[in-house]
Amino acid sequence: VKKALAMTREQVVEEAKKAHVRGRGGAGFDAGTKWSFMPKESKKPCYLVVNADEGEPGTFKDRSIMEMNPHALVEGCIIGAHAIGAQTAYIYVRDELHLSKARLNAAIREARAKGYLGSNAFGLTRNVDVHVHTGAGAYICGEETALLNSLEGRRGEPRIKPPGTAA
C-alpha cells in the first residue's frame, strides 16, 4: 500500500494493467482497465464499490478471501480507492455471510487503529475509509447497477443503461 500511495493514480492503473490484475467475477475483467474509465478530474465524489455479494449457489470465491485474508481485501480497497481518486470504499456483502462480515469489520478496525484508514491515512494528507455494507440477499444484487441501487437504499433492481458504471 505504501508503494502504491507514493505513486500517481495513473501509475497505479498502469501497474495493475501490466500485472493483469483481474476481477473475481465471471468475466475476470481487467481491474486496471476498469480503473482507467474514471475521470481524471471530477468535482463529484467517487466511491470504490467491491461486489462481494456472491449470489451464485455453491460459490465461495469471495467468502474465502473475506474469511481467510480480510486484510488483503482492505489493502486492495485502499489501493483501488487511490487509483480511482475515491476516499470511500464499500464492500457489499450478503446478509447471511456473518463470519465474512465479522472478519472484515475486525480487519477494518485494526487498519484504522494502525492509521491505515481514516484521516491522514499512512501519515499522508489523504483520507480513505472502508465500510462493510450488508446486502439484502437478493440474487439480482450481483448485477452492478442493482447492487448500487441497494447500496443507495433503493430497491435492488437493475438500472437502465446508459449511463453505465465505471466499475
Side-chain angles (χ1 to χ4, degrees):
V1 173
K2 286 181 184 179
K3 181 178 179 182
L5 293 179
M7 300 166 73
T8 66
R9 289 175 51 189
E10 293 78 14
Q11 289 171 323
V12 174
V13 169
E14 288 308 311
E15 285 296 316
K17 285 180 178 179
K18 280 194 283 186
H20 300 289
V21 175
R22 304 267 177 210
R24 295 171 63 86
F29 201 87
D30 182 77
T33 300
K34 273 190 183 185
W35 293 347
S36 71
F37 296 157
M38 292 298 292
K40 301 297 179 242
E41 298 296 325
S42 176
K43 299 198 186 316
K44 295 179 181 179
C46 65
Y47 303 90
L48 177 73
V49 179
V50 176
N51 182 352
D53 185 57
E54 198 160 82
E56 288 288 328
T59 302
F60 299 95
K61 64 181 176 38
D62 300 331
R63 203 172 320 185
S64 63
I65 196 166
M66 290 186 290
E67 294 177 6
M68 305 288 201
N69 196 358
H71 293 90
L73 183 52
V74 173
E75 181 178 321
C77 287
I78 296 167
I79 294 168
H82 174 58
I84 67 168
Q87 292 187 352
T88 305
Y90 292 97
I91 304 171
Y92 188 93
V93 183
R94 296 182 79 70
D95 179 53
E96 62 267 21
L97 299 182
H98 303 295
L99 181 59
S100 296
K101 291 184 295 181
R103 293 212 171 143
L104 278 172
N105 281 317
I108 291 167
R109 281 191 305 275
E110 291 170 9
R112 270 196 199 105
K114 292 278 191 180
Y116 303 155
L117 293 173
S119 58
N120 300 318
F122 285 91
L124 304 170
T125 57
R126 170 155 184 71
N127 299 337
V128 65
D129 215 345
V130 178
H131 305 278
V132 174
H133 182 86
T134 300
Y139 176 78
I140 194 62
C141 288
E143 192 275 336
E144 64 186 10
T145 62
L147 184 150
L148 292 175
N149 276 343
S150 175
L151 184 64
E152 294 170 353
R154 296 201 275 278
R155 187 179 183 143
E157 56 189 15
R159 296 176 183 178
I160 296 173
K161 297 177 188 178
T165 63

